[in-house]
Amino acid sequence: SAQFSLAGNYCLGEGVPQDWKEAVKWFRLSAEQGEADAQYFLGLMYSNGQGVLQDYKKAVKWFRLSSEQGDVKAQYNLGIIFQDGLGVEQDYKEAVKWFRLSAEQDDGDAQYNLGIMFQDGLGVQQNYKEALKWYRLAAEHNIVLAQWNLGYMFEDGLGVEQDYKEAVKWYRLAAEQGLATAQSILGEMYYGGQGVLQDYKEAVKWHRLSAEQ
């Protein structure tokens, strides 16, 4: 809608001075007409306290309206709100419900969070195979912590046969994205020759990259 577009202009300062309050005003008008994107952004403004006083209860209201229309990011944010108990009672089952809806629409962040829920048994029965499935999907979106968790699960044989080569593959992807813990453990794998040929130079390289952070 024109109202939604105008709100976006005020958010980004495109053609007008950036003005969060004006953005909220136009998002609200659009959201009240049932525009799912506007409902999501209005929820985000309340969640972040941009242009309005931070108010998680109002964020939940708008995220829920948007989520019920299938908005993938609103579903993910609703999952976070229930996971962390922001303005609502912490409810892992409810968090899982919204993460799953978003994850099934191929949202990488939701897939990663759903993996966490299955790995730790939060709101669902602990299930390493399910955790692996969702981490793998999230890793395809380059979610660095999903890559790291896959490395860890293959290294320790959680829900899968222990496989150092596969662990190295995922640790390397996370390390190449700059994750210090992955760089450090990749250094250890090279040092000990686990899943790779022992290579002290490579070990030093990855330890140095990790240490420089």
Side-chain angles (χ1 to χ4, degrees):
S1 72
Q3 292 165 336
F4 179 75
S5 298
L6 190 55
N9 292 339
Y10 278 111
C11 262
L12 299 169
E14 288 179 346
V16 288
Q18 191 179 51
D19 187 329
W20 297 115
K21 281 189 180 173
E22 275 297 299
V24 166
K25 170 183 145 183
W26 292 106
F27 277 139
R28 190 187 306 282
L29 285 166
S30 182
E32 284 168 352
Q33 289 179 51
E35 172 92 33
D37 283 340
Q39 291 167 342
Y40 162 64
F41 278 106
L42 191 53
L44 209 54
M45 307 292 268
Y46 275 113
S47 181
N48 295 335
Q50 287 174 305
V52 285
L53 284 173
Q54 191 175 50
D55 187 330
Y56 287 120
K57 284 193 174 155
K58 285 184 178 163
V60 167
K61 169 191 160 178
W62 291 110
F63 282 149
R64 195 185 290 278
L65 285 167
S66 182
S67 292
E68 285 164 357
Q69 294 196 66
D71 187 281
V72 64
K73 279 296 175 194
Q75 291 167 342
Y76 165 70
N77 276 276
L78 208 45
I80 291 290
I81 275 177
F82 280 106
Q83 182 186 45
D84 294 345
L86 302 170
V88 290
E89 205 168 312
Q90 192 175 47
D91 186 334
Y92 291 133
K93 278 191 181 171
E94 194 70 9
V96 166
K97 169 187 152 180
W98 293 111
F99 284 148
R100 192 190 297 276
L101 284 167
S102 183
E104 285 170 350
Q105 290 197 70
D106 202 30
D107 183 83
D109 292 317
Q111 290 164 343
Y112 166 68
N113 277 274
L114 193 53
I116 292 272
M117 304 305 264
F118 276 109
Q119 185 178 350
D120 294 345
L122 300 172
V124 285
Q125 199 166 346
Q126 190 176 48
N127 185 328
Y128 291 134
K129 282 192 177 167
E130 273 294 296
L132 269 171
K133 168 186 143 181
W134 292 109
Y135 285 150
R136 204 184 284 277
L137 288 166
E140 285 168 9
H141 290 281
N142 282 326
I143 306 291
V144 68
L145 290 174
Q147 294 167 342
W148 157 259
N149 281 358
L150 278 170
Y152 171 74
M153 291 182 89
F154 277 106
E155 187 187 3
D156 279 15
L158 299 175
V160 70
E161 205 170 312
Q162 191 177 48
D163 184 335
Y164 290 131
K165 273 192 184 172
E166 195 68 11
V168 165
K169 168 187 152 181
W170 293 109
Y171 283 142
R172 188 189 306 281
L173 285 167
E176 284 169 353
Q177 284 205 69
L179 188 69
T181 46
Q183 292 167 341
S184 175
I185 205 146
L186 192 55
E188 291 298 317
M189 306 290 273
Y190 272 109
Y191 188 80
Q194 288 181 302
V196 284
L197 284 173
Q198 192 173 48
D199 186 329
Y200 294 129
K201 275 190 182 173
E202 275 294 295
V204 168
K205 167 188 147 183
W206 288 109
H207 279 145
R208 189 188 302 281
L209 284 167
S210 176
E212 283 169 355
Q213 294 197 60

